[in-house]
Amino acid sequence: MDISAHRIAVLLAVHRAGGVVAAADLLHLSPSAVSQQIRLLENEAGVRVLDRTPAGAVLTDSGRVLAEAAERIESELTTARRELALIDGDTPTGTVRIGTFATAIRALLLPLLSTLEESLPGIELVIEESEERAALGRLRQGTLDLVLLERDSHTLPAPPRAMNDVPLLDESWLVVVPPGQAAPSTLSDLVRATWIDLDPATAGAFALARLSRQLGTPLSTRHVVDDYDVVLAMVGQGLGYAILPELAVHSGVVPDGVVVSSLPGLGTRQLVVRHRVTRTEPTSAARAVLEAMLVRAQALEMG
């Protein structure tokens, strides 16, 4: 039995996205191309891997075995990329400037400051909260050394030339429910909800649009916000439901009465660190900070 690793990765994307059309969006393929890959996989494996239901595509028992194999392969590749990113024998010294967003600062970077002061006294870490487009521009110019990026369900395109992406953390999307509302048990319970929309440039906006596609209906939205703390406060005031990543919920202040639900099919937010790749970059100091970030992210995953 010769099973393609690429095709089981496509199957995993269909499972995570909840359907062939949504997976096609994530993979930047046509739905027919995704369906063809699934058919070829079924021919290779000699089993049916998907059941198509009104609510979306559901893995068969055989499909679940193959999707779990795809996850293990993905995990091994992530570990390999991390180890390659950390190979450096220099003594790290110097200033490392990181551009990122609020939730990553609170949950990932602030805990690193005291650790780096003790373990790497030769490094000065400078954290700058920055909008993604501006941060990437400064990374190209050389005024930032590392930039944290967020994407919904592994939709980050390949980095441009002379750049490299290091996967940092995958975290679940969560539904945040206003006080007095029943906790949802399935995605279909969310159809009639009114939602607090997120800034179109954020991963949360893509996750909400993906949820709309999975449910097969437009979602009712009210307000547009780009700060997750403000979103939590608005949910607490009963202004709508919201979809937020784990870090935003766990590092923020959840108002009294607000219910946080984890539902199958909501997908994940991926955090990635981008850095320049030249003859002299990343510097040993940037690599050391990246290593500390990876250790911190691994601790969050284990927790």
Side-chain angles (χ1 to χ4, degrees), residues 134 146 161 169 292:
L146 304 171
R161 185 178 180 184
L169 178 70

Side-chain angles (χ1 to χ4, degrees), residues 173-187 189-196 211 231-244 249 253-263 266:
W173 288 110
L174 303 172
V175 172
V176 189
V177 181
Q181 300 293 325
S185 57
T186 66
L187 293 185
D189 294 337
L190 304 173
V191 171
R192 293 181 176 83
T194 296
W195 295 83
I196 297 170
L211 176 61
V231 173
L232 282 171
M234 295 175 78
V235 174
Q237 291 294 314
L239 298 180
Y241 287 57
I243 184 167
L244 295 177
V249 174
V253 178
V254 179
D256 292 340
V258 167
V259 175
V260 179
S261 294
S262 175
L263 297 176
L266 279 179

Side-chain angles (χ1 to χ4, degrees), residues 50-228:
L50 284 179
D51 284 332
R52 290 169 175 79
T53 71
V58 179
L59 294 177
T60 65
D61 289 342
S62 298
R64 190 172 297 109
V65 169
L66 293 175
E68 289 172 355
E71 287 184 322
R72 290 194 295 271
I73 292 171
E74 183 181 73
S75 176
E76 289 295 328
L77 288 174
T78 296
T79 299
R81 293 189 190 101
R82 289 178 176 179
E83 291 175 354
L84 288 172
L86 305 179
I87 296 172
D88 198 310
D90 297 336
T91 301
T93 59
T95 299
V96 178
R97 296 183 179 274
I98 302 179
T100 186
F101 44 91
T103 55
I105 292 174
R106 285 197 302 268
L108 286 169
L109 298 183
L110 290 183
L112 286 183
L113 290 175
S114 59
T115 301
L116 290 177
E117 287 176 359
E118 295 177 3
S119 61
L120 298 167
I123 292 178
E124 179 187 9
L125 181 63
V126 177
I127 301 169
E128 299 188 24
E129 185 176 2
S130 178
E131 184 270 330
E132 181 179 300
R133 182 177 298 180
L136 289 175
R138 293 188 56 203
L139 182 66
R140 288 191 297 271
Q141 295 164 6
T143 56
L144 287 177
D145 301 292
L146 304 171
V147 172
L148 267 73
L149 306 174
E150 61 161 3
R151 286 296 183 272
D152 172 48
S153 293
H154 295 254
T155 56
L156 187 69
R161 185 178 180 184
M163 297 284 176
N164 183 51
D165 287 345
V166 179
L168 185 64
L169 178 70
D170 282 359
E171 53 176 331
S172 298
W173 288 110
L174 303 172
V175 172
V176 189
V177 181
Q181 300 293 325
S185 57
T186 66
L187 293 185
S188 60
D189 294 337
L190 304 173
V191 171
R192 293 181 176 83
T194 296
W195 295 83
I196 297 170
D197 206 353
L198 294 157
D199 185 281
T202 64
F206 284 90
L208 196 59
R210 177 169 52 79
L211 176 61
S212 177
R213 292 193 299 271
Q214 288 176 245
L215 295 175
T217 184
L219 298 179
S220 173
T221 60
R222 181 189 303 158
H223 311 296
V224 180
V225 185
D226 64 359
D227 185 289
Y228 289 147

